[in-house]
Amino acid sequence: MSQLTAWEILRRPRLTEKSTRLREEAARWKKRGETFVFEVDTRANKIQVRRAVEQVFGVEVAHVRTVNVRGKKRRYGRSLGYRSSFKKAYVTLKPGSKTIDFLEG
């Protein structure tokens, strides 16, 4: 098995209502760092995700939590389909570390 690069590990940020709420809660409680949510490669572990985020964004990571999300059943009329399964990572930055700006460049 080949080694995954940082850009292969981090697929895309998950900009949802829950991830936005997690960032706002971190701003309210100064002792905790901001939490960002990424969709990552299913083969990546927590250590690889941590190194990839630190390398790509130049931030300090406090801890990483991962969740395997199973694909859901989708029905379109009479036909039946499935959404793809994926892995999600909650990355919490150390307090005082610089932030990640997704919407700016």
Side-chain angles (χ1 to χ4, degrees):
M1 186 166 114
S2 66
Q3 195 73 337
L4 295 171
T5 65
W7 293 102
E8 292 171 340
I9 292 171
L10 299 176
R11 297 243 173 111
R12 67 182 66 93
R14 304 277 301 177
L15 300 175
T16 60
E17 290 180 21
K18 182 177 180 180
S19 65
T20 306
R21 190 182 74 233
L22 287 172
R23 290 179 58 194
E24 290 171 357
E25 286 177 4
R28 211 174 326 144
W29 303 98
K30 302 290 185 200
K31 60 186 173 188
R32 290 193 321 206
E34 285 186 286
T35 300
F36 294 92
V37 184
F38 293 95
E39 185 175 325
V40 296
D41 193 284
T42 55
R43 299 169 291 174
N45 60 30
K46 293 179 183 186
I47 298 167
Q48 291 172 325
V49 171
R50 175 190 204 124
R51 288 181 184 155
V53 171
E54 288 176 345
Q55 178 183 350
V56 171
F57 297 107
V59 295
E60 296 178 32
V61 176
H63 65 274
V64 177
R65 297 174 297 173
T66 58
V67 179
N68 286 312
V69 181
R70 292 185 55 189
K72 294 181 180 179
K73 208 184 276 192
R74 298 290 295 178
R75 188 175 298 278
Y76 300 102
R78 291 183 359 187
S79 61
L80 180 68
Y82 289 92
R83 288 186 190 165
S84 299
S85 298
F86 62 94
K87 191 172 197 175
K88 189 166 43 168
Y90 292 91
V91 178
T92 304
L93 304 181
K94 289 184 180 177
S97 176
K98 74 175 195 174
T99 186
I100 300 172
D101 291 325
F102 293 123
L103 303 177
E104 296 180 16

